[in-house]
Amino acid sequence: KQEVTQIPAALSVPEGENLVLNCSFTDSAIYNLQWFRQDPGKGLTSLLLIQSSQREQTSGRLNASLDKSSGRSTLYIAASQPGDSATYLCAVRPGIGNTGKLIFGQGTTLQVKP
Amino acid sequence: DTGVSQDPRHKITKRGQNVTFRCDPISEHNRLYWYRQTLGQGPEFLTYFQNEAQLEKSRLLSDRFSAERPKGSFSTLEIQRTEQGDSAMYLCASSFEGNSPLHFGNGTRLTVT
C-alpha cells in the first residue's frame, strides 16, 4: 500500500531564505508526483507535476526533484517571501491501475516571516 | 476556462440531515474526483468518474454516501443521515485522461452539529 510522508510538518523561516520541503513515498511504482499549495480554508493549487521518467521540474522560484528509486521528492523554494506562507502538499499517482487518483502526504505548513 | 467550481462553499447542518454538494469540472476534462480533507491532514480519495461512469470508490465511502455524474458533466455528492464525523472539507478535482495534472476546486466545508 502506497504511503506518502512529508517532513517537517511545519517550518518557519525568515524572508529571503532558500528552503527545501521533503516528501517520501513507500512504493517506487508511480506514474507521476505532483506538488500543491493550499492556503487556509481554500482548495489546492497545482504547482509542479513531475512524470516518473523525469528528474526535475522548474517554475519560477520553485524547483521540484524526483528520485523514484529512493522514493523521494524535494520542493526547493528560492528567496522565500511572506506570500509563500501556505501548506505544501505532495501527492503521488500510483503506477497500478489507470484511475489517475492521487495519494497525498499530510503536508508541510510553511511560515515565511517578514 | 473558469476552473473547477464547487457549491456551496460552506454548509452547516444538524446531525441526521441529508446534504448534497455540487461540482462543475473544467469543461474539457473527462475525469472527476471527490476527496475529503480533515484538519491537518492531506486529502483522502473518495471516488472517481470517467465521463458518467463511476469507476472506483474508496472504502471510506460508506453506504450513506452516494455520488453521481449524469451525462458526464457536473457531479453531485450526497451524504445521508449526516454524522459529526462527516465534518470535513469536501474537494472536487478534474483532469484529462492519461498522465495529466489534477485541478482542484475550492471545496465545500461541511460542519455537522
Side-chain angles (χ1 to χ4, degrees), chain B residues 34-94:
Chain B
W34 285 99
Y35 284 80
R36 180 172 69 188
Q37 186 179 28
T38 54
L39 203 60
Q41 302 295 314
E44 295 176 293
F45 171 79
L46 292 178
T47 190
Y48 147 72
F49 290 84
Q50 179 144 326
N51 300 311
E52 67 277 8
Q54 187 174 19
L55 296 185
E56 187 172 347
K57 291 166 61 172
S58 164
R59 282 170 290 179
L60 294 174
L61 215 64
S62 76
D63 55 7
R64 295 185 297 105
F65 288 70
S66 62
E68 295 183 341
R69 192 184 182 197
K71 301 179 183 177
S73 56
F74 71 93
S75 175
T76 58
L77 178 67
E78 181 183 17
I79 308 175
Q80 296 183 328
R81 305 181 303 281
T82 52
E83 302 172 356
Q84 286 188 318
D86 297 332
S87 296
M89 174 80 90
Y90 290 83
L91 294 162
C92 177
S94 69

Short mmCIF file of all heavy atoms in Angstrom, two decimals, chain B residues 34-94:
data_model
loop_
_atom_site.label_atom_id
_atom_site.label_comp_id
_atom_site.label_asym_id
_atom_site.label_seq_id
_atom_site.Cartn_x
_atom_site.Cartn_y
_atom_site.Cartn_z
N TRP B 34 -13.64 13.04 -6.24
CA TRP B 34 -14.03 13.62 -4.95
C TRP B 34 -13.03 13.17 -3.89
O TRP B 34 -12.66 11.98 -3.83
CB TRP B 34 -15.43 13.17 -4.53
CG TRP B 34 -16.55 13.83 -5.29
CD1 TRP B 34 -17.24 13.33 -6.34
CD2 TRP B 34 -17.12 15.11 -5.01
NE1 TRP B 34 -18.20 14.22 -6.75
CE2 TRP B 34 -18.15 15.32 -5.94
CE3 TRP B 34 -16.88 16.11 -4.05
CZ2 TRP B 34 -18.94 16.48 -5.97
CZ3 TRP B 34 -17.65 17.24 -4.08
CH2 TRP B 34 -18.66 17.42 -5.03
N TYR B 35 -12.61 14.13 -3.07
CA TYR B 35 -11.71 13.88 -1.95
C TYR B 35 -12.31 14.50 -0.69
O TYR B 35 -13.11 15.44 -0.76
CB TYR B 35 -10.34 14.54 -2.19
CG TYR B 35 -9.45 13.82 -3.17
CD1 TYR B 35 -9.63 13.98 -4.53
CD2 TYR B 35 -8.42 13.00 -2.73
CE1 TYR B 35 -8.81 13.32 -5.44
CE2 TYR B 35 -7.59 12.34 -3.63
CZ TYR B 35 -7.80 12.51 -4.98
OH TYR B 35 -6.97 11.85 -5.87
N ARG B 36 -11.88 14.00 0.46
CA ARG B 36 -12.27 14.57 1.75
C ARG B 36 -11.00 14.93 2.51
O ARG B 36 -10.03 14.14 2.52
CB ARG B 36 -13.10 13.57 2.55
CG ARG B 36 -13.54 14.08 3.91
CD ARG B 36 -14.52 13.14 4.56
NE ARG B 36 -13.89 11.88 4.95
CZ ARG B 36 -14.57 10.83 5.39
NH1 ARG B 36 -15.88 10.88 5.47
NH2 ARG B 36 -13.93 9.73 5.74
N GLN B 37 -11.03 16.09 3.14
CA GLN B 37 -9.86 16.55 3.89
C GLN B 37 -10.29 17.01 5.28
O GLN B 37 -11.15 17.89 5.39
CB GLN B 37 -9.15 17.69 3.16
CG GLN B 37 -7.84 18.12 3.82
CD GLN B 37 -7.15 19.23 3.04
OE1 GLN B 37 -7.79 20.01 2.36
NE2 GLN B 37 -5.83 19.31 3.17
N THR B 38 -9.69 16.44 6.31
CA THR B 38 -9.92 16.90 7.67
C THR B 38 -8.73 17.75 8.11
O THR B 38 -7.65 17.70 7.49
CB THR B 38 -10.13 15.73 8.63
OG1 THR B 38 -9.03 14.82 8.50
CG2 THR B 38 -11.43 14.99 8.32
N LEU B 39 -8.93 18.50 9.17
CA LEU B 39 -7.96 19.50 9.60
C LEU B 39 -6.59 18.87 9.86
O LEU B 39 -6.47 17.87 10.57
CB LEU B 39 -8.47 20.18 10.87
CG LEU B 39 -7.90 21.56 11.15
CD1 LEU B 39 -8.22 22.52 10.02
CD2 LEU B 39 -8.44 22.09 12.48
N GLY B 40 -5.56 19.44 9.25
CA GLY B 40 -4.20 18.98 9.49
C GLY B 40 -3.79 17.73 8.71
O GLY B 40 -2.69 17.23 8.88
N GLN B 41 -4.70 17.27 7.85
CA GLN B 41 -4.41 16.06 7.07
C GLN B 41 -4.41 16.39 5.58
O GLN B 41 -4.98 17.39 5.15
CB GLN B 41 -5.46 14.99 7.34
CG GLN B 41 -5.59 14.60 8.80
CD GLN B 41 -4.35 13.93 9.33
OE1 GLN B 41 -3.79 13.05 8.69
NE2 GLN B 41 -3.90 14.37 10.50
N GLY B 42 -3.78 15.49 4.80
CA GLY B 42 -3.89 15.62 3.36
C GLY B 42 -5.23 15.08 2.89
O GLY B 42 -5.92 14.35 3.60
N PRO B 43 -5.65 15.46 1.68
CA PRO B 43 -6.91 14.94 1.14
C PRO B 43 -6.89 13.42 1.00
O PRO B 43 -5.86 12.84 0.68
CB PRO B 43 -7.00 15.62 -0.23
CG PRO B 43 -6.15 16.85 -0.12
CD PRO B 43 -5.02 16.45 0.78
N GLU B 44 -8.06 12.80 1.22
CA GLU B 44 -8.21 11.35 1.05
C GLU B 44 -9.19 11.10 -0.09
O GLU B 44 -10.27 11.70 -0.14
CB GLU B 44 -8.75 10.71 2.33
CG GLU B 44 -7.82 10.80 3.51
CD GLU B 44 -8.48 10.24 4.75
OE1 GLU B 44 -9.45 10.84 5.22
OE2 GLU B 44 -8.01 9.19 5.24
N PHE B 45 -8.82 10.18 -0.96
CA PHE B 45 -9.64 9.84 -2.12
C PHE B 45 -10.96 9.21 -1.69
O PHE B 45 -10.99 8.33 -0.82
CB PHE B 45 -8.86 8.87 -3.00
CG PHE B 45 -9.65 8.26 -4.12
CD1 PHE B 45 -9.90 8.97 -5.28
CD2 PHE B 45 -10.13 6.96 -4.02
CE1 PHE B 45 -10.62 8.41 -6.32
CE2 PHE B 45 -10.85 6.38 -5.05
CZ PHE B 45 -11.10 7.11 -6.20
N LEU B 46 -12.05 9.68 -2.32
CA LEU B 46 -13.37 9.09 -2.07
C LEU B 46 -13.86 8.29 -3.27
O LEU B 46 -14.23 7.13 -3.16
CB LEU B 46 -14.39 10.18 -1.73
CG LEU B 46 -14.21 10.90 -0.41
CD1 LEU B 46 -15.29 11.98 -0.25
CD2 LEU B 46 -14.25 9.94 0.76
N THR B 47 -13.91 8.96 -4.45
CA THR B 47 -14.46 8.29 -5.61
C THR B 47 -14.00 8.99 -6.88
O THR B 47 -13.50 10.12 -6.84
CB THR B 47 -15.99 8.22 -5.56
OG1 THR B 47 -16.47 7.35 -6.59
CG2 THR B 47 -16.62 9.60 -5.71
N TYR B 48 -14.18 8.31 -8.01
CA TYR B 48 -13.66 8.79 -9.28
C TYR B 48 -14.61 8.41 -10.42
O TYR B 48 -15.17 7.31 -10.43
CB TYR B 48 -12.27 8.17 -9.48
CG TYR B 48 -11.86 7.87 -10.88
CD1 TYR B 48 -11.54 8.89 -11.77
CD2 TYR B 48 -11.77 6.55 -11.33
CE1 TYR B 48 -11.14 8.61 -13.06
CE2 TYR B 48 -11.37 6.27 -12.63
CZ TYR B 48 -11.06 7.29 -13.48
OH TYR B 48 -10.67 7.01 -14.77
N PHE B 49 -14.82 9.35 -11.34
CA PHE B 49 -15.64 9.14 -12.51
C PHE B 49 -14.80 9.34 -13.77
O PHE B 49 -13.97 10.26 -13.83
CB PHE B 49 -16.79 10.17 -12.58
CG PHE B 49 -17.85 9.97 -11.54
CD1 PHE B 49 -17.69 10.50 -10.26
CD2 PHE B 49 -19.01 9.28 -11.82
CE1 PHE B 49 -18.66 10.33 -9.30
CE2 PHE B 49 -20.00 9.10 -10.87
CZ PHE B 49 -19.82 9.64 -9.60
N GLN B 50 -15.04 8.50 -14.74
CA GLN B 50 -14.56 8.79 -16.09
C GLN B 50 -15.81 8.97 -16.94
O GLN B 50 -16.59 8.03 -17.10
CB GLN B 50 -13.68 7.67 -16.64
CG GLN B 50 -13.22 7.96 -18.04
CD GLN B 50 -11.82 7.46 -18.33
OE1 GLN B 50 -10.95 7.45 -17.48
NE2 GLN B 50 -11.60 7.02 -19.56
N ASN B 51 -16.00 10.17 -17.44
CA ASN B 51 -17.27 10.56 -18.06
C ASN B 51 -18.39 10.30 -17.03
O ASN B 51 -18.27 10.75 -15.91
CB ASN B 51 -17.46 9.83 -19.38
CG ASN B 51 -16.33 10.16 -20.35
OD1 ASN B 51 -16.01 11.33 -20.55
ND2 ASN B 51 -15.72 9.14 -20.95
N GLU B 52 -19.44 9.55 -17.41
CA GLU B 52 -20.54 9.36 -16.46
C GLU B 52 -20.37 8.11 -15.60
O GLU B 52 -21.16 7.86 -14.69
CB GLU B 52 -21.87 9.30 -17.20
CG GLU B 52 -22.05 8.09 -18.11
CD GLU B 52 -21.41 8.27 -19.47
OE1 GLU B 52 -20.69 9.28 -19.68
OE2 GLU B 52 -21.62 7.39 -20.32
N ALA B 53 -19.34 7.32 -15.88
CA ALA B 53 -19.16 6.05 -15.17
C ALA B 53 -18.34 6.23 -13.89
O ALA B 53 -17.23 6.78 -13.91
CB ALA B 53 -18.47 5.05 -16.10
N GLN B 54 -18.89 5.75 -12.78
CA GLN B 54 -18.17 5.77 -11.50
C GLN B 54 -17.31 4.52 -11.46
O GLN B 54 -17.81 3.40 -11.29
CB GLN B 54 -19.15 5.80 -10.33
CG GLN B 54 -18.48 5.99 -8.99
CD GLN B 54 -19.49 6.16 -7.85
OE1 GLN B 54 -20.66 5.78 -7.98
NE2 GLN B 54 -19.07 6.72 -6.74
N LEU B 55 -16.00 4.69 -11.58
CA LEU B 55 -15.12 3.55 -11.78
C LEU B 55 -14.43 3.07 -10.51
O LEU B 55 -13.93 1.94 -10.48
CB LEU B 55 -14.06 3.87 -12.84
CG LEU B 55 -14.60 4.14 -14.24
CD1 LEU B 55 -13.46 4.33 -15.23
CD2 LEU B 55 -15.53 3.03 -14.70
N GLU B 56 -14.37 3.90 -9.50
CA GLU B 56 -13.71 3.46 -8.27
C GLU B 56 -14.31 4.19 -7.07
O GLU B 56 -14.60 5.38 -7.15
CB GLU B 56 -12.20 3.72 -8.33
CG GLU B 56 -11.44 3.12 -7.14
CD GLU B 56 -9.93 3.21 -7.31
OE1 GLU B 56 -9.46 3.51 -8.43
OE2 GLU B 56 -9.22 2.98 -6.32
N LYS B 57 -14.48 3.46 -5.98
CA LYS B 57 -14.97 4.02 -4.73
C LYS B 57 -14.07 3.57 -3.60
O LYS B 57 -13.74 2.39 -3.50
CB LYS B 57 -16.40 3.56 -4.45
CG LYS B 57 -17.44 4.13 -5.39
CD LYS B 57 -18.77 3.40 -5.29
CE LYS B 57 -19.37 3.48 -3.92
NZ LYS B 57 -20.76 2.93 -3.90
N SER B 58 -13.69 4.50 -2.74
CA SER B 58 -12.88 4.15 -1.59
C SER B 58 -13.72 3.45 -0.53
O SER B 58 -14.95 3.64 -0.47
CB SER B 58 -12.28 5.43 -1.00
OG SER B 58 -11.79 5.23 0.30
N ARG B 59 -13.04 2.69 0.33
CA ARG B 59 -13.76 2.09 1.46
C ARG B 59 -14.23 3.15 2.44
O ARG B 59 -15.08 2.90 3.28
CB ARG B 59 -12.84 1.10 2.17
CG ARG B 59 -12.71 -0.22 1.45
CD ARG B 59 -11.63 -1.07 2.04
NE ARG B 59 -10.31 -0.53 1.77
CZ ARG B 59 -9.18 -1.08 2.20
NH1 ARG B 59 -9.19 -2.15 2.93
NH2 ARG B 59 -8.01 -0.53 1.91
N LEU B 60 -13.66 4.37 2.32
CA LEU B 60 -14.13 5.48 3.16
C LEU B 60 -15.56 5.87 2.82
O LEU B 60 -16.26 6.48 3.63
CB LEU B 60 -13.23 6.71 2.95
CG LEU B 60 -11.78 6.62 3.40
CD1 LEU B 60 -11.03 7.88 2.97
CD2 LEU B 60 -11.70 6.45 4.90
N LEU B 61 -15.98 5.54 1.61
CA LEU B 61 -17.30 5.94 1.14
C LEU B 61 -18.33 4.93 1.63
O LEU B 61 -18.61 3.94 0.95
CB LEU B 61 -17.28 6.03 -0.39
CG LEU B 61 -18.12 7.11 -1.04
CD1 LEU B 61 -17.60 8.48 -0.65
CD2 LEU B 61 -18.11 6.97 -2.55
N SER B 62 -18.90 5.23 2.81
CA SER B 62 -19.89 4.30 3.37
C SER B 62 -21.16 4.35 2.55
O SER B 62 -21.31 5.19 1.64
CB SER B 62 -20.19 4.68 4.82
OG SER B 62 -21.02 5.82 4.86
N ASP B 63 -22.12 3.48 2.90
CA ASP B 63 -23.36 3.44 2.13
C ASP B 63 -24.21 4.68 2.35
O ASP B 63 -25.24 4.86 1.70
CB ASP B 63 -24.15 2.16 2.43
CG ASP B 63 -24.42 1.99 3.91
OD1 ASP B 63 -24.13 2.92 4.69
OD2 ASP B 63 -24.93 0.93 4.28
N ARG B 64 -23.81 5.56 3.25
CA ARG B 64 -24.54 6.83 3.42
C ARG B 64 -24.12 7.85 2.36
O ARG B 64 -24.76 8.88 2.21
CB ARG B 64 -24.29 7.41 4.81
CG ARG B 64 -24.81 6.56 5.96
CD ARG B 64 -24.63 7.27 7.30
NE ARG B 64 -23.23 7.49 7.61
CZ ARG B 64 -22.62 8.69 7.53
NH1 ARG B 64 -23.30 9.77 7.16
NH2 ARG B 64 -21.34 8.82 7.85
N PHE B 65 -23.04 7.56 1.67
CA PHE B 65 -22.52 8.47 0.65
C PHE B 65 -22.90 7.96 -0.73
O PHE B 65 -22.77 6.75 -1.01
CB PHE B 65 -20.99 8.54 0.73
CG PHE B 65 -20.44 9.29 1.91
CD1 PHE B 65 -20.54 8.77 3.18
CD2 PHE B 65 -19.80 10.50 1.75
CE1 PHE B 65 -20.03 9.44 4.28
CE2 PHE B 65 -19.28 11.19 2.83
CZ PHE B 65 -19.39 10.66 4.10
N SER B 66 -23.31 8.87 -1.60
CA SER B 66 -23.54 8.50 -2.98
C SER B 66 -23.12 9.65 -3.88
O SER B 66 -23.31 10.82 -3.54
CB SER B 66 -25.00 8.13 -3.24
OG SER B 66 -25.83 9.23 -3.00
N ALA B 67 -22.53 9.31 -5.00
CA ALA B 67 -22.07 10.32 -5.95
C ALA B 67 -22.60 9.96 -7.32
O ALA B 67 -22.73 8.78 -7.67
CB ALA B 67 -20.55 10.40 -5.97
N GLU B 68 -22.92 11.01 -8.09
CA GLU B 68 -23.40 10.82 -9.45
C GLU B 68 -22.73 11.81 -10.37
O GLU B 68 -22.31 12.89 -9.94
CB GLU B 68 -24.92 11.03 -9.52
CG GLU B 68 -25.73 10.03 -8.75
CD GLU B 68 -27.23 10.27 -8.93
OE1 GLU B 68 -27.61 11.40 -9.33
OE2 GLU B 68 -28.00 9.35 -8.66
N ARG B 69 -22.69 11.46 -11.63
CA ARG B 69 -22.21 12.39 -12.65
C ARG B 69 -23.02 12.15 -13.91
O ARG B 69 -22.54 11.58 -14.89
CB ARG B 69 -20.71 12.21 -12.93
CG ARG B 69 -20.13 13.34 -13.76
CD ARG B 69 -18.68 13.12 -14.10
NE ARG B 69 -18.16 14.25 -14.85
CZ ARG B 69 -17.04 14.22 -15.57
NH1 ARG B 69 -16.31 13.10 -15.63
NH2 ARG B 69 -16.63 15.29 -16.21
N PRO B 70 -24.28 12.62 -13.89
CA PRO B 70 -25.14 12.39 -15.06
C PRO B 70 -24.59 13.09 -16.28
O PRO B 70 -24.11 14.23 -16.19
CB PRO B 70 -26.48 12.99 -14.62
CG PRO B 70 -26.13 13.95 -13.53
CD PRO B 70 -24.93 13.42 -12.86
N LYS B 71 -24.61 12.42 -17.40
CA LYS B 71 -24.19 12.98 -18.68
C LYS B 71 -22.72 13.37 -18.69
O LYS B 71 -22.28 14.12 -19.57
CB LYS B 71 -25.04 14.20 -19.06
CG LYS B 71 -26.52 13.88 -19.16
CD LYS B 71 -27.32 15.12 -19.50
CE LYS B 71 -28.81 14.79 -19.53
NZ LYS B 71 -29.63 15.98 -19.78
N GLY B 72 -21.96 12.93 -17.72
CA GLY B 72 -20.53 13.18 -17.73
C GLY B 72 -20.13 14.63 -17.57
O GLY B 72 -19.02 15.00 -17.94
N SER B 73 -21.03 15.44 -17.02
CA SER B 73 -20.68 16.86 -16.84
C SER B 73 -20.47 17.15 -15.36
O SER B 73 -19.49 16.71 -14.78
CB SER B 73 -21.76 17.75 -17.45
OG SER B 73 -23.03 17.44 -16.89
N PHE B 74 -21.41 17.86 -14.72
CA PHE B 74 -21.27 18.16 -13.30
C PHE B 74 -21.48 16.89 -12.47
O PHE B 74 -21.98 15.86 -12.97
CB PHE B 74 -22.27 19.24 -12.87
CG PHE B 74 -23.69 18.77 -12.85
CD1 PHE B 74 -24.26 18.27 -11.68
CD2 PHE B 74 -24.48 18.83 -13.98
CE1 PHE B 74 -25.57 17.82 -11.65
CE2 PHE B 74 -25.79 18.39 -13.98
CZ PHE B 74 -26.34 17.88 -12.81
N SER B 75 -21.07 16.96 -11.21
CA SER B 75 -21.24 15.82 -10.31
C SER B 75 -21.87 16.29 -9.01
O SER B 75 -21.72 17.45 -8.61
CB SER B 75 -19.89 15.18 -10.01
OG SER B 75 -20.00 14.14 -9.06
N THR B 76 -22.59 15.39 -8.35
CA THR B 76 -23.12 15.66 -7.02
C THR B 76 -22.64 14.59 -6.05
O THR B 76 -22.47 13.43 -6.42
CB THR B 76 -24.65 15.70 -7.01
OG1 THR B 76 -25.15 14.45 -7.49
CG2 THR B 76 -25.17 16.84 -7.86
N LEU B 77 -22.42 15.01 -4.83
CA LEU B 77 -22.07 14.11 -3.74
C LEU B 77 -23.11 14.30 -2.65
O LEU B 77 -23.28 15.42 -2.15
CB LEU B 77 -20.68 14.42 -3.19
CG LEU B 77 -20.19 13.58 -2.00
CD1 LEU B 77 -19.97 12.12 -2.42
CD2 LEU B 77 -18.90 14.15 -1.41
N GLU B 78 -23.83 13.24 -2.31
CA GLU B 78 -24.86 13.31 -1.29
C GLU B 78 -24.43 12.51 -0.07
O GLU B 78 -23.91 11.40 -0.21
CB GLU B 78 -26.20 12.79 -1.80
CG GLU B 78 -27.30 12.87 -0.75
CD GLU B 78 -28.63 12.28 -1.20
OE1 GLU B 78 -28.64 11.52 -2.18
OE2 GLU B 78 -29.65 12.57 -0.55
N ILE B 79 -24.65 13.07 1.09
CA ILE B 79 -24.41 12.36 2.35
C ILE B 79 -25.76 12.28 3.07
O ILE B 79 -26.39 13.31 3.35
CB ILE B 79 -23.40 13.08 3.26
CG1 ILE B 79 -22.11 13.40 2.50
CG2 ILE B 79 -23.09 12.20 4.48
CD1 ILE B 79 -21.11 14.22 3.29
N GLN B 80 -26.19 11.08 3.34
CA GLN B 80 -27.45 10.88 4.04
C GLN B 80 -27.18 10.66 5.54
O GLN B 80 -26.15 10.13 5.92
CB GLN B 80 -28.18 9.66 3.46
CG GLN B 80 -28.59 9.84 2.01
CD GLN B 80 -29.37 8.65 1.47
OE1 GLN B 80 -29.14 7.52 1.88
NE2 GLN B 80 -30.30 8.92 0.58
N ARG B 81 -28.14 11.09 6.34
CA ARG B 81 -28.08 10.88 7.81
C ARG B 81 -26.69 11.29 8.33
O ARG B 81 -25.96 10.48 8.92
CB ARG B 81 -28.37 9.42 8.13
CG ARG B 81 -29.69 8.91 7.58
CD ARG B 81 -29.96 7.46 7.95
NE ARG B 81 -28.91 6.55 7.52
CZ ARG B 81 -28.77 6.10 6.29
NH1 ARG B 81 -29.60 6.49 5.33
NH2 ARG B 81 -27.80 5.26 6.00
N THR B 82 -26.35 12.55 8.13
CA THR B 82 -25.02 13.04 8.48
C THR B 82 -24.68 12.78 9.94
O THR B 82 -25.54 12.80 10.83
CB THR B 82 -24.87 14.54 8.20
OG1 THR B 82 -25.96 15.24 8.82
CG2 THR B 82 -24.87 14.81 6.71
N GLU B 83 -23.39 12.54 10.16
CA GLU B 83 -22.83 12.32 11.49
C GLU B 83 -21.76 13.38 11.73
O GLU B 83 -21.21 13.95 10.78
CB GLU B 83 -22.21 10.92 11.58
CG GLU B 83 -23.20 9.80 11.28
CD GLU B 83 -22.52 8.44 11.18
OE1 GLU B 83 -21.27 8.38 11.26
OE2 GLU B 83 -23.25 7.43 11.01
N GLN B 84 -21.43 13.61 13.01
CA GLN B 84 -20.42 14.62 13.32
C GLN B 84 -19.08 14.29 12.67
O GLN B 84 -18.33 15.18 12.28
CB GLN B 84 -20.29 14.77 14.83
CG GLN B 84 -21.47 15.52 15.44
CD GLN B 84 -21.25 15.84 16.90
OE1 GLN B 84 -20.76 15.01 17.64
NE2 GLN B 84 -21.64 17.04 17.30
N GLY B 85 -18.78 13.02 12.52
CA GLY B 85 -17.54 12.60 11.88
C GLY B 85 -17.47 12.92 10.40
O GLY B 85 -16.40 12.79 9.79
N ASP B 86 -18.59 13.34 9.82
CA ASP B 86 -18.59 13.73 8.40
C ASP B 86 -18.09 15.15 8.22
O ASP B 86 -17.85 15.58 7.09
CB ASP B 86 -20.00 13.63 7.82
CG ASP B 86 -20.55 12.20 7.83
OD1 ASP B 86 -19.74 11.26 7.76
OD2 ASP B 86 -21.79 12.06 7.90
N SER B 87 -17.93 15.88 9.32
CA SER B 87 -17.43 17.26 9.22
C SER B 87 -16.04 17.26 8.61
O SER B 87 -15.12 16.61 9.11
CB SER B 87 -17.39 17.91 10.61
OG SER B 87 -18.68 18.03 11.16
N ALA B 88 -15.89 17.98 7.51
CA ALA B 88 -14.64 17.99 6.76
C ALA B 88 -14.78 18.96 5.61
O ALA B 88 -15.84 19.53 5.37
CB ALA B 88 -14.31 16.59 6.22
N MET B 89 -13.67 19.12 4.87
CA MET B 89 -13.70 19.83 3.60
C MET B 89 -13.83 18.78 2.50
O MET B 89 -13.06 17.82 2.47
CB MET B 89 -12.41 20.63 3.41
CG MET B 89 -12.28 21.29 2.04
SD MET B 89 -13.22 22.82 1.93
CE MET B 89 -11.94 23.96 2.49
N TYR B 90 -14.82 18.96 1.62
CA TYR B 90 -15.02 18.04 0.51
C TYR B 90 -14.52 18.73 -0.76
O TYR B 90 -15.02 19.78 -1.15
CB TYR B 90 -16.49 17.62 0.40
CG TYR B 90 -16.85 16.71 1.55
CD1 TYR B 90 -17.22 17.24 2.79
CD2 TYR B 90 -16.77 15.33 1.43
CE1 TYR B 90 -17.51 16.42 3.87
CE2 TYR B 90 -17.06 14.50 2.49
CZ TYR B 90 -17.42 15.05 3.71
OH TYR B 90 -17.70 14.22 4.78
N LEU B 91 -13.52 18.12 -1.37
CA LEU B 91 -12.84 18.70 -2.53
C LEU B 91 -13.16 17.92 -3.78
O LEU B 91 -13.20 16.69 -3.77
CB LEU B 91 -11.32 18.67 -2.31
CG LEU B 91 -10.78 19.54 -1.18
CD1 LEU B 91 -9.39 19.10 -0.79
CD2 LEU B 91 -10.76 21.00 -1.61
N CYS B 92 -13.36 18.65 -4.85
CA CYS B 92 -13.59 18.05 -6.16
C CYS B 92 -12.40 18.42 -7.05
O CYS B 92 -11.84 19.52 -6.93
CB CYS B 92 -14.89 18.59 -6.75
SG CYS B 92 -15.25 18.01 -8.41
N ALA B 93 -12.02 17.50 -7.92
CA ALA B 93 -10.93 17.76 -8.86
C ALA B 93 -11.31 17.17 -10.22
O ALA B 93 -12.13 16.25 -10.30
CB ALA B 93 -9.62 17.14 -8.37
N SER B 94 -10.69 17.69 -11.26
CA SER B 94 -10.92 17.13 -12.59
C SER B 94 -9.61 17.09 -13.36
O SER B 94 -8.64 17.78 -13.02
CB SER B 94 -11.99 17.92 -13.35
OG SER B 94 -11.54 19.21 -13.70
#
